[in-house]
């Protein structure tokens, strides 16, 4: 099968969070299974050019229709750790992807409406006719709309679209200008409740809704989150749309790329280990302590790695720092704030805790350091407000770092409580789960994990090793995506 992934991220060249990991890992898995896979991405000025091999121009003069005229673009091509990627670079005074960030501009909806248009135009003029176009998140929601309303009539009749929603929080709310820019134009037609009109704002269109309505198959990234999306308010107003399209909606758990996330070969950690020589993990703990100037003592090390966003339960992340310190543990936080208010809060905490030999707060995005932290820590906390899938708990499990998670979304599909999970045998349990979104609930689970570390180190070690035995690779999700592609391809 010939599959084209279109997304705003692909790790490690463009990564703000889990989306990048998923686009890369899924593409790799699909290629291993004998498919041809290409990835189309924006060419951001701030992406990691050092992670691209053989970058060259593949299509020098791509003229993308935009409003009444066109925007001159170049398409570059290169390999990102073996995956063939095309990068679209517009030469326009709008400076779409030359702003020093991936997301966060007021014009984001126009930047990605343009990217969607350019990606489709590139496929069209370069005569690429994939069997499957796989789009991700709101940034590419207009692609199936344009494909089935416009490009189909230009001859792209056999393409089918799988649309994956990684996060319902950001949906791409725009005005008619996005329709006029992309050439969809007919605003009366698209401002229909059954098409793109936002469910709660009559004056706006919603890219993600367009993706749901027009794609051949829609999924979110875990079975439990798919259920939450339909039956709770977590889909941020799209519940009814999902209900209407329930026959083509499902949940597929993300996988982890076990070539990237593997403590037996990870180039960024101090000592390689597996379940068979688990004791070697301690060398990583020592290395991290040295690197971050933490004291070397017989204490458990707790970590948080992730974006610092309301979604992630930041107040509980904050609480877990002080709770851990009070219980005599060490805490390492690696986080990228997504809002200035959260940023200044954690900078403030950092300055307070700067000289504490048991705590380190690192406020940046640092892929290499993240690997060492996963390998070094004993416990990882993931107290999310909501979590479509969550990769950090799965990475923790892979690295023998026991997860303490809130029981929502993909977290509940992957972590099974040591004390209370009746549906799993004791030898199948792998972490600690709490449910309420308050500090008492967090303390009850984090407290139980610390009790086990202090009072029964052997049992704690056994729990960590049980977690390592889980297969959260792309193996199973790869089967599921292939089945979906096959299914929609023959429609
Ligand atoms: P989300 O997609 O909501 O950000 P996930 O748990 O699905 O969360 O994926 C997070 C991914 O991003 C993981 O690979 C994690 O290691 C990585 N990550 C998040 N924040 C950082 C950071 N500040 N530094 C390094 N890696 C990070």
């Amino acid at each position: 099968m010939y599959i084209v992934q279109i997304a705003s991220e692909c790790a490690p060249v463009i990564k703000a969070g889990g989306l990048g990991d998923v686009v890369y890992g899924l593409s790799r898995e699909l290629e291993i299974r004998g498919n041809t896979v290409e990835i189309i991405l924006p060419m951001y000025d701030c992406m990691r050019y050092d992670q691209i091999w053989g970058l060259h121009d593949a299509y020098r003069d791509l003229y993308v229709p935009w409003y009444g005229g066109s925007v001159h673009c170049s398409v570059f091509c290169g390999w990102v750790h073996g995956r063939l990627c095309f990068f679209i670079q517009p030469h326009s005074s709008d400076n779409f992807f030359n702003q020093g960030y991936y997301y966060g501009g007021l014009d984001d909806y126009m930047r990605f409406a343009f990217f969607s248009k350019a990606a489709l135009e590139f496929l069209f003029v370069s005569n690429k006719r994939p069997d499957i176009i796989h789009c991700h998140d709101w940034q590419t929601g207009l692609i199936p709309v344009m494909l089935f309303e416009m490009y189909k009539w230009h001859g792209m009749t056999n393409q089918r679209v799988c649309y994956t929603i990684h996060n319902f929080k950001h949906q791409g709310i725009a005005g008619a200008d996005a329709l006029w820019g992309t050439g969809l134009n007919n605003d009366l037609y698209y401002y229909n409740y059954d098409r793109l009109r936002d469910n709660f704002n009559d004056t706006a269109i919603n890219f993600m809704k367009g993706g749901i309505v027009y794609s051949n198959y829609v999924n979110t990234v875990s079975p439990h989150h798919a259920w939450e999306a339909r039956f709770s308010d977590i889909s941020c107003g799209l519940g009814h749309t999902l209900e209407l399209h329930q026959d083509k909606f499902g949940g597929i758990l993300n996988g982890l790329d076990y070539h990237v996330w593997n403590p037996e070969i990870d180039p960024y950690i101090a000592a390689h280990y597996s379940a068979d020589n688990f004791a070697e993990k301690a060398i990583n703990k020592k290395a991290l302590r040295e690197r971050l100037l933490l004291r070397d003592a017989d204490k458990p090390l707790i970590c948080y790695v992730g974006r610092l966003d309301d979604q992630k339960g930041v107040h509980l992340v904050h609480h877990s720092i002080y709770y851990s310190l009070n219980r005599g543990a060490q805490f390492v936080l690696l986080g990228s704030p997504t809002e200035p208010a959260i940023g200044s809060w954690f900078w403030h905490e950092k300055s307070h805790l700067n000289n504490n030999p048991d705590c380190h707060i690192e406020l940046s995005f640092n892929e290499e350091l993240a690997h060492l932290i996963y390998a070094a820590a004993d416990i990882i906390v993931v107290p999310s407000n909501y979590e479509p899938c969550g990769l950090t708990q799965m990475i923790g499990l892979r690295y023998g770092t026991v997860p303490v998670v809130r029981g929502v979304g993909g977290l509940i599909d992957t972590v099974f409580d040591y004390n209370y999970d009746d549906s799993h045998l004791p030898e199948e349990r792998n972490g600690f789960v709490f449910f309420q979104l308050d500090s008492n609930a967090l303390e009850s689970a984090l407290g139980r994990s610390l009790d086990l570390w202090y009072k029964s180190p052997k049992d704690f070690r056994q729990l960590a090793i049980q977690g390592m035995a889980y297969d959260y690779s792309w193996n199973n999700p790869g089967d599921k995506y292939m089945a979906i592609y096959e299914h929609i391809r023959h429609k």
Side-chain angles (χ1 to χ4, degrees), residues 380-456:
I380 179 165
V381 279
V382 194
S384 301
N385 192 350
Y386 71 95
E387 193 60 76
C389 175
L391 296 181
T392 60
Q393 84 283 10
M394 296 202 276
I395 302 172
L397 288 168
R398 179 77 172 143
Y399 282 70
T401 304
V402 173
V404 174
V405 307
R406 181 153 177 262
V408 287
L411 297 172
I412 206 167
D413 286 330
T414 49
V415 179
F416 312 113
D417 191 90
Y418 176 71
N419 300 107
Y420 300 121
D421 192 318
D422 291 337
S423 55
H424 288 82
L425 296 171
E427 59 271 25
E428 293 170 344
R429 299 178 192 168
N430 59 11
F432 296 87
V433 184
F434 63 98
F435 289 90
Q436 303 303 320
L437 193 58
D438 58 50
S439 47
N440 287 339
L442 169 88
E443 286 186 13
S444 76
L446 192 51
R448 284 186 291 126
S449 71
L450 286 170
D451 288 344
L452 194 69
W453 192 94
Y454 283 121
K455 294 182 191 146
S456 317

Side-chain angles (χ1 to χ4, degrees), residues 23-326:
V23 171
Y24 179 85
L26 174 60
S27 303
R28 183 173 180 280
E29 177 69 23
L30 295 170
E31 266 191 73
I32 292 171
R33 290 166 185 248
N35 301 288
T36 301
V37 183
E38 292 170 352
I39 307 171
I40 304 182
L41 301 158
M43 188 145 176
Y44 303 96
D45 55 351
C46 55
M47 64 187 194
R48 288 200 49 181
Y49 286 83
D50 62 321
Q51 301 291 333
I52 312 173
W53 188 83
L55 190 67
H56 62 281
D57 50 353
Y59 208 93
R60 199 165 290 173
D61 297 315
L62 175 72
Y63 288 93
V64 179
W66 188 241
Y67 288 102
S70 64
V71 175
H72 179 209
C73 298
S74 302
V75 183
F76 288 82
C77 166
W79 283 265
V80 173
H81 295 249
R83 310 281 79 71
L84 183 58
C85 296
F86 292 91
F87 299 92
I88 295 184
Q89 181 185 55
H91 307 289
S92 138
S93 55
D94 288 319
N95 258 340
F96 286 130
F97 307 120
N98 290 333
Q99 307 189 14
Y101 51 75
Y102 300 141
Y103 316 116
L106 289 175
D107 60 341
D108 273 8
Y109 71 96
M110 284 314 259
R111 295 165 74 213
F112 291 105
F114 179 81
F115 168 63
S116 299
K117 177 80 185 175
L120 262 182
E121 187 69 17
F122 171 56
L123 291 180
F124 175 63
V125 297
S126 60
N127 240 341
K128 291 178 181 290
R129 297 292 181 265
D131 300 295
I132 301 293
I133 300 177
H134 193 154
C135 300
H136 299 266
D137 263 352
W138 74 266
Q139 292 88 348
T140 56
L142 285 186
I143 287 179
V145 184
M146 290 188 276
L147 178 69
F148 294 119
E149 294 282 6
M150 295 166 76
Y151 285 83
K152 184 171 109 178
W153 307 108
H154 301 177
M156 292 181 74
T157 44
N158 292 325
Q159 283 56 57
R160 297 291 176 268
V161 179
C162 176
Y163 182 57
T164 300
I165 297 172
H166 298 258
N167 197 333
F168 282 96
K169 183 173 170 189
H170 307 284
Q171 301 185 354
I173 306 297
D177 43 350
L179 297 175
W180 291 100
T182 51
L184 288 166
N185 296 350
N186 190 347
D187 44 2
L188 272 183
Y189 178 76
Y190 293 108
Y191 267 92
N192 182 304
Y193 184 80
D194 292 333
R195 295 196 182 85
L196 266 61
R197 196 183 87 199
D198 186 74
N199 292 350
F200 291 92
N201 182 349
D202 287 356
T203 60
I205 58 162
N206 183 318
F207 291 4
M208 186 171 274
K209 181 171 171 182
I212 296 171
V213 171
Y214 280 86
S215 295
N216 302 96
Y217 192 82
V218 183
N219 73 296
T220 184
V221 288
S222 69
H224 191 69
H225 195 59
W227 181 89
E228 290 171 338
R230 277 184 61 194
F231 301 115
S232 77
D233 57 3
I234 214 74
S235 48
C236 303
L238 287 175
H240 186 238
T241 309
L242 293 172
E243 196 60 27
L244 292 176
H245 294 274
Q246 56 179 289
D247 293 346
K248 60 170 189 181
F249 176 64
I252 301 176
L253 195 69
N254 282 334
L256 267 192
D257 190 326
Y258 276 9
H259 274 75
V260 176
W261 300 108
N262 182 351
E264 289 175 57
I265 54 168
D266 192 326
Y268 302 124
I269 68 179
H272 293 148
Y273 62 96
S274 66
D276 297 332
N277 61 343
F278 192 70
E280 301 288 293
K281 183 171 161 65
I283 300 174
N284 293 299
K285 191 167 174 178
K286 203 166 168 19
L288 183 72
R289 283 171 166 166
E290 264 170 32
R291 178 165 167 177
L292 303 181
L293 305 176
L294 295 176
R295 104 171 90 193
D296 195 14
D298 187 21
K299 286 167 174 274
L301 180 63
I302 300 169
C303 74
Y304 173 82
V305 179
R307 292 181 298 119
L308 288 171
D309 183 273
D310 175 54
Q311 170 196 342
K312 300 291 178 185
V314 267
H315 63 294
L316 294 183
V317 173
H318 177 260
H319 190 78
S320 56
I321 299 175
Y322 288 99
Y323 179 72
S324 305
L325 294 176
N326 280 332

